[in-house]
Amino acid sequence: MPVMKKTENKSQTSLHNESTSTPSLRETYQLGSLGTTLRAALASREARSIKRRLPEPSVLGKQSLIDFTSNDYLSLSTSPLLRTRFLQKITAKDRGQILGSAGSRLLVNPDAHHRLERRLENILSRPSRNESDTPQVGILFNSGFDANMSFFTCIPQPGDVIILDEYIHASVWDGVRASRLAQDCVKTFEHNSIESIRTVLDRLLNVIPSDTSSASIAERLHSGSSSLFVAVESLYSMDGTLAPLREINKLLSQLFPRKNAYLIVDEAHATGIYGPPSRPGCGRVSQLGLDGGLGSPVGVTMREMDDGEECRVLARLHTFGKALAGSGAILLTTPLLTSYLINYARPLIYTTALAHPNVVLVDSAFDLMIEGETEQLSTHLLALSAYLANLLQTELDKARISPEIVCLPPHLLSPTLSRSLESSSLSSNDHHDISSPLSSSSSSPLHPPTPIMPLLTPHPRPLSAFLLALGMNARPITWPTVPRGKERVRVCLHSGNTKKDVEALVSGVVEWARGWTEQIEEKKEKNVVVVDSLQTQSKL
Ligand SMILES: Cc1ncc(COP(=O)(O)O)c(C=O)c1O
């Protein structure tokens, strides 16, 4: 068969001949001025060592590296128990459609999705409701990102006000940016600082109008004609800090007697890990007794309920992609807001609903939670976290590593951290032997343990590379993901990690820090020698 030469390709030939100024194919791929701009942006990131890249492809569960990076906190993605449960459920004879979902929720409304929502409404809220508890309705989203985008774009109305923790997730920011709020109605407060929230609110409640023809923000908030939203994460993804939810709730109750201030809680990283003793894994809102629904009495005990404080939590988000080994999310809020979202939330309306296998997987993960299977995993996880904080601080102190090289964040530093570890609650490599850190008197860091631990260092890439060479995967995190000057290696612990893994991590970090310190001192000495010899020369 005759082979057509490239130049004989008709379309190409005509392309080339149309005019001498027509770009060549190669030039076409360069994308002209668009290409120039994109390449310049990427080159600038490369020059500043902040260009993002996908990591090496990996097969979860088959990595030779120790995982200190994924959000698979309970190691459920490789759990034989979850896998078996999922397979049983998905192959059950009475299960109908088992593959996709065949359309948007507004087009087809699969029974499995509907049932999962009703089930999670029950699991994630107080079981024996007070008379005054208000029902919460769950609505599934394809991702936590979509849920945050939907909520913050749609629900706040023109004239309303949002205040955000400065470390709030990008999806909340994007939702707020796409909302109909004026710029002066969006404020941030210092991470987890009640004082800062109070200051921001005091200012908002006392704003003097520049234009006397319209009601000021303060007047609108005082009268109740505008609403205030406070957006927080219950467990912050980059810092491993827990939001002071009860304190914020109390402040809103005090400052907004007209009850027009609402708390919106993103439980993405807390789901599956924290919860009240009777419902482990149901999140921090439940753990702190704020899950009765908007306006219901706060508290898990009668004594706490006596003070008359009401829940100000209007909505909370539980995602399935982290500790629960699935994907998607459920937003729990009032029936009115749910109906509004179904009408106006574009990421909910104009997208294909979660595929059936994912819904079945999430249902199976909640089975394990209800049956108490995940409780021992989270107990081990939090014990391991307390052990890591204690051991690392002790070893960094012993090796006299300067905090300018690497250190734990302030919320994890406590006088008790440098205590001897001999009496630690961890006694073996087998995680079932680890008792709860919360009941251990030998390890009582200031902050309750969380699976996320940032190792603050101005040199996150070399530290991460050093750990990688030792077979440990802990990723460097730099600006713009975290603020400048707050670079870190973010360590995420998992239920599948062992005490031995943690010890290897600590000795790797200390070894790197020692070597890095020596390098810096050598450089300093060389500089001194050079300066000395220059001074001697100039004297001669
Ligand atoms: C705090 C927080 N909220 C929301 C999301 C988005 O959730 P999803 O991964 O389900 O889109 C993430 C994920 O990174 C997150 O960390």
Side-chain angles (χ1 to χ4, degrees):
M1 200 170 82
V3 178
M4 197 192 248
K5 282 189 194 162
K6 256 197 178 165
T7 48
E8 287 168 353
N9 177 317
K10 273 198 175 164
S11 60
Q12 271 192 24
T13 316
S14 61
L15 234 182
H16 281 289
N17 291 345
E18 260 170 26
S19 114
T20 47
S21 62
T22 305
S24 69
L25 203 58
R26 186 175 147 68
E27 281 168 340
T28 305
Y29 278 118
Q30 298 284 314
L31 296 178
S33 66
L34 173 64
T36 309
T37 310
L38 303 187
R39 273 189 296 279
L42 292 174
S44 159
R45 284 206 154 179
E46 182 79 74
R48 290 175 291 151
S49 304
I50 55 165
K51 186 172 168 196
R52 291 180 168 126
R53 289 182 172 79
L54 295 181
E56 283 298 304
S58 58
V59 182
L60 269 180
K62 287 205 171 169
Q63 290 155 305
S64 50
L65 295 174
I66 303 173
D67 179 12
F68 287 124
T69 200
S70 79
N71 292 327
D72 183 20
Y73 300 118
L74 298 179
S75 300
L76 284 186
S77 69
T78 52
S79 155
L81 208 57
L82 180 58
R83 189 187 162 84
T84 306
R85 181 63 58 93
F86 167 70
L87 290 174
Q88 273 167 0
K89 286 199 153 190
I90 199 133
T91 52
K93 282 215 178 77
D94 57 350
R95 187 164 290 284
Q97 181 184 12
I98 56 160
L99 297 176
S101 67
S104 159
R105 280 299 291 286
L106 281 83
L107 203 62
V108 288
N109 184 16
D111 182 54
H113 295 56
H114 174 79
R115 274 192 288 119
L116 181 64
E117 282 172 347
R118 305 295 79 79
R119 182 175 190 216
L120 298 195
E121 282 163 12
N122 281 321
I123 294 175
L124 296 167
S125 296
R126 277 185 217 163
S128 54
R129 295 194 167 142
N130 295 290
E131 294 260 293
S132 52
D133 278 1
T134 51
Q136 289 186 298
V137 179
I139 178 91
L140 291 176
F141 284 85
N142 287 1
S143 70
F145 201 104
D146 282 357
N148 276 335
M149 270 302 281
S150 297
F151 185 92
F152 288 97
T153 306
C154 293
I155 299 298
Q157 301 296 305
D160 288 348
V161 180
I162 294 189
I163 69 167
L164 309 158
D165 187 289
E166 62 179 330
Y167 291 174
I168 199 80
H169 192 256
S171 51
V172 175
W173 270 116
D174 285 7
V176 171
R177 284 192 188 113
S179 74
R180 290 167 290 162
L181 296 197
Q183 258 185 1
D184 63 347
C185 290
V186 179
K187 305 279 175 206
T188 55
F189 57 86
E190 282 168 32
H191 176 54
N192 268 356
S193 165
I194 288 290
E195 272 323 295
S196 176
I197 299 177
R198 191 186 284 280
T199 306
V200 171
L201 291 181
D202 279 348
R203 272 195 213 124
L204 283 167
L205 289 167
N206 293 294
V207 177
I208 299 157
S210 52
D211 168 10
T212 46
S213 64
S214 58
S216 70
I217 293 177
E219 283 165 341
R220 297 197 311 267
L221 289 177
H222 279 299
S223 71
S225 64
S226 287
S227 304
L228 174 96
F229 298 85
V230 183
V232 296
E233 290 173 37
S234 52
L235 169 61
Y236 282 86
S237 57
M238 290 295 144
D239 291 74
T241 39
L242 293 165
L245 297 178
R246 286 291 290 267
E247 289 82 347
I248 301 175
N249 190 77
K250 197 168 211 133
L251 190 64
L252 297 185
S253 302
Q254 284 165 0
L255 296 183
F256 292 84
R258 288 189 184 271
K259 306 177 192 258
N260 55 327
Y262 307 108
L263 187 49
I264 317 301
V265 186
D266 182 336
E267 297 252 41
H269 293 268
T271 304
I273 299 170
Y274 299 97
S278 56
R279 288 178 300 129
C282 288
R284 286 284 290 170
V285 168
S286 293
Q287 188 176 33
L288 298 172
L290 290 162
D291 58 349
L294 185 70
S296 65
V298 168
V300 279
T301 67
M302 285 310 287
R303 200 187 58 74
E304 281 170 315
M305 284 159 67
D306 285 344
D307 67 12
E309 189 190 335
E310 285 183 353
C311 290
R312 303 309 311 153
V313 179
L314 175 62
R316 61 194 149 117
L317 174 69
H318 292 275
T319 65
F320 310 141
K322 302 183 193 302
L324 301 184
S327 75
I330 188 162
L331 187 84
L332 289 162
T333 185
T334 71
L336 172 66
L337 265 70
T338 307
S339 176
Y340 193 89
L341 289 168
I342 290 170
N343 277 275
Y344 292 97
R346 295 167 75 84
L348 176 64
I349 302 165
Y350 298 107
T351 193
T352 304
L354 286 171
H356 265 83
N358 196 83
V359 170
V360 175
L361 178 58
V362 172
D363 200 39
S364 309
F366 275 93
D367 280 355
L368 301 195
M369 213 194 258
I370 296 291
E371 291 160 16
E373 296 290 350
T374 59
E375 190 179 2
Q376 52 178 318
L377 300 177
S378 57
T379 303
H380 165 67
L381 177 67
L382 297 180
L384 210 54
S385 167
Y387 182 63
L388 171 58
N390 277 282
L391 184 63
L392 186 58
Q393 188 55 44
T394 306
E395 294 303 313
L396 289 173
D397 283 353
K398 257 199 238 163
R400 297 182 176 282
I401 302 298
S402 158
E404 285 169 17
I405 303 287
V406 64
C407 65
L408 283 171
H411 70 271
L412 289 177
L413 298 178
S414 110
T416 55
L417 283 178
S418 44
R419 276 186 200 164
S420 160
L421 287 159
E422 261 133 54
S423 54
S424 164
S425 59
L426 286 166
S427 55
S428 92
N429 293 343
D430 180 342
H431 65 250
H432 298 297
D433 288 347
I434 300 170
S435 58
S436 165
L438 302 171
S439 60
S440 160
S441 60
S442 67
S443 54
S444 51
L446 286 179
H447 192 274
T450 78
I452 303 164
M453 200 168 297
L455 308 180
L456 300 178
T457 170
H459 320 286
R461 287 178 201 282
L463 172 54
S464 170
F466 187 87
L467 293 174
L468 197 64
L470 295 176
M472 290 174 270
N473 191 11
R475 305 280 302 160
I477 311 278
T478 58
W479 182 87
T481 306
V482 291
R484 283 195 175 89
K486 301 254 168 109
E487 291 79 17
R488 66 201 58 190
V489 167
R490 174 177 176 256
V491 171
C492 282
L493 292 174
H494 309 97
S495 304
N497 289 132
T498 61
K499 185 186 167 200
K500 219 166 118 198
D501 293 342
V502 163
E503 286 162 358
L505 176 68
V506 170
S507 79
V509 172
V510 173
E511 192 186 335
W512 171 83
R514 272 211 192 96
W516 200 260
T517 309
E518 277 166 20
Q519 277 183 37
I520 289 176
E521 276 164 8
E522 267 170 33
K523 270 191 203 153
K524 269 195 208 151
E525 267 171 33
K526 271 186 200 152
N527 280 345
V528 170
V529 172
V530 172
V531 171
D532 279 356
S533 72
L534 284 176
Q535 281 175 347
T536 317
Q537 277 173 23
S538 70
K539 275 180 197 160
L540 289 173

